[in-house]
């Protein structure tokens, strides 16, 4: 059995639960519980605040954790980042009031900056040779300039809408974050084997994202041209049809290339093209 800590609520909670479900791991409905057991995998879920997850994993309270890379960096706990998960992407940025004439990070020299991430910000200022007064506050960082608490802020930015609402503009992108899987550094061999199984499933899910399964009927003498258009994972699968001179071609393609490939295939005689959703890709 292995224990994984995930965020108790919010976007990372929803996306973490969705990833586990796509990996075939069903979790009991446990909005009022601290712990939940998986129905068909040796795993239990511990629900925590996101900023408590790195410490919980470092202490061994949880074996694994899904948390933003920004929290891992800020807390500085002794955990291993074993996999980047590709969701929950955001950045930590400096922002100032819209009316300010900002030209470089030197603007912050001697200024007061409000943030919930003082460690990351301090490292950036030290690297840039900036002496600023850092005020650590929890929550509602974006209102600090308007109430006179700070000259600027350092906070999480996703779309930037919250900054605009509060009369701020993003001026420096300092740290890029996403959800990561972290692990305790003293996992037993048994737990490392379970972790390997979990990573195998996660990677199968991730490979399928943005991919489509396409099959079509094609004249036999056009197979070589089709292979040039559709290299596939290794090469397209070609199967003979009952109708002489025709075959069925099966291939996995990236969704962003789909329509371009379809047009090229139709131009060489492909017919009856079907495009299907792809759930998992196992290598």
């Amino acid at each position: 059995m292995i224990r994984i800590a995930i965020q108790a609520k919010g976007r990372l909670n929803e996306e973490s639960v969705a990833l586990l479900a796509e990996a075939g791991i069903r979790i009991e409905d446990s909005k009022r519980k601290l712990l939940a057991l998986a129905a068909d995998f040796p795993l239990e879920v511990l629900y925590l605040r996101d900023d408590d997850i790195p410490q919980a994993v470092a202490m061994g309270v949880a074996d694994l954790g899904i948390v933003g890379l920004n929290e891992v960096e800020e807390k500085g706990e002794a955990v291993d980042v074993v996999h980047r998960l590709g969701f929950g992407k955001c950045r930590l940025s400096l922002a100032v009031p819209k009316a300010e004439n900002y030209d470089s990070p030197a603007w912050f020299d001697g200024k007061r900056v409000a943030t919930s991430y003082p460690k990351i910000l301090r490292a950036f200022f030290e690297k840039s040779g900036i002496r600023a007064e850092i005020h650590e506050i929890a929550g509602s960082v974006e209102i600090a300039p308007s109430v006179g608490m700070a000259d600027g802020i350092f906070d999480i930015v996703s779309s930037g809408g919250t900054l605009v609402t509060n009369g701020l503009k993003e001026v420096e992108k300092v740290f890029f974050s996403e959800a990561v899987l972290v692990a305790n550094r003293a996992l037993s061999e048994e737990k490392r084997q379970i972790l390997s199984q979990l990573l195998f499933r996660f990677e199968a899910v991730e490979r399928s994202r943005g991919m489509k399964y396409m099959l079509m009927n094609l004249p036999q003498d056009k197979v070589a041209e089709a292979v040039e258009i559709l290299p596939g994972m290794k090469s397209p699968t070609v199967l003979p049809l009952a109708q002489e001179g025709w075959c069925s071609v099966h291939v996995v393609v990236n969704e962003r290339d789909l329509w371009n490939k379809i047009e090229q295939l139709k131009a060489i005689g492909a017919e009856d093209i079907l495009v299907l959703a792809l759930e998992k890709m196992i290598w």
Side-chain angles (χ1 to χ4, degrees):
M1 177 71 70
I2 201 166
R3 178 182 290 175
I4 185 170
I6 68 171
Q7 192 170 311
K9 58 183 178 179
R11 190 178 65 169
L12 279 192
N13 167 272
E14 295 169 2
E15 293 182 285
S16 298
V17 171
L19 175 61
L20 290 169
E22 285 186 87
I25 302 170
R26 296 172 295 161
I27 307 299
E28 297 173 349
D29 186 9
S30 56
K31 292 182 179 179
R32 297 184 180 181
K33 295 180 182 178
L34 180 64
L35 280 169
L37 190 65
D40 42 15
F41 193 82
L43 175 143
E44 62 180 355
V45 174
L46 173 64
Y47 295 94
L48 296 174
R49 282 171 48 97
D50 58 346
D51 52 358
D52 290 333
I53 292 175
Q55 183 181 26
V57 174
M59 294 174 61
V61 174
D63 304 301
L64 308 173
I66 295 178
V67 67
L69 184 60
N70 56 305
E71 293 294 344
V72 178
E73 183 72 15
E74 179 64 28
K75 299 304 178 184
E77 297 286 351
V79 298
D80 290 330
V81 175
V82 294
H83 193 66
R84 290 176 177 258
L85 296 169
F87 59 81
K89 291 187 176 182
C90 63
R91 57 192 179 273
L92 288 174
S93 296
L94 285 159
V96 301
K98 288 181 181 178
E100 291 292 335
N101 185 21
Y102 181 89
D103 57 358
S104 74
W107 182 92
F108 289 97
D109 208 37
K111 299 290 199 304
R112 293 173 300 166
V113 184
T115 185
S116 299
Y117 298 92
K119 180 182 175 182
I120 297 174
L121 179 58
R122 189 171 294 111
F124 174 75
F125 279 160
E126 288 176 357
K127 183 179 179 181
S128 304
I130 295 168
R131 294 184 179 181
E133 189 178 337
I134 298 174
H135 288 265
E136 183 177 359
I137 59 178
S140 301
V141 173
E142 65 277 356
I143 69 169
S146 64
V147 298
M149 291 179 63
D151 300 298
I153 69 166
F154 180 63
D155 202 16
I156 290 177
V157 177
S158 294
S159 65
T162 302
L163 295 181
V164 172
T165 300
N166 287 276
L168 301 172
K169 60 183 178 182
E170 184 179 15
V171 293
E172 296 291 337
K173 299 172 183 177
V174 175
F175 186 87
F176 291 86
S177 181
E178 64 180 289
V180 294
L181 181 67
V182 296
N184 181 274
R185 291 179 175 174
L187 291 182
S188 67
E189 183 57 34
E190 178 185 0
K191 290 183 177 181
R192 289 190 181 279
Q193 289 178 5
I194 298 173
L195 171 59
S196 295
Q197 294 172 27
L198 189 63
L199 286 172
F200 175 79
R201 295 190 183 199
F202 283 177
E203 289 167 358
V205 171
E206 290 162 3
R207 289 190 200 104
S208 69
R209 289 175 180 161
M211 306 298 284
K212 296 293 182 182
Y213 187 81
M214 185 162 62
L215 56 156
M216 72 215 73
N217 293 334
L218 187 74
Q220 188 72 46
D221 60 3
K222 296 294 184 179
V223 170
E225 291 181 59
V227 170
E228 290 298 317
I229 296 169
L230 298 169
M233 290 159 54
K234 286 189 174 64
S235 66
T237 299
V238 181
L239 302 173
L241 294 180
Q243 184 176 349
E244 188 175 347
W246 283 79
C247 61
S248 177
V249 178
H250 299 229
V251 71
V252 174
V253 297
N254 194 300
E255 188 170 16
R256 65 173 177 264
D257 300 324
L258 181 65
W259 291 106
N260 181 47
K261 298 298 184 186
I262 288 175
E263 290 167 3
Q264 293 180 61
L265 290 163
K266 284 181 65 65
I268 65 170
E271 298 180 359
D272 307 320
I273 300 173
L274 298 180
V275 179
L276 305 175
L278 187 66
E279 290 193 1
K280 308 288 184 297
M281 288 176 63
I282 311 298
W283 288 357

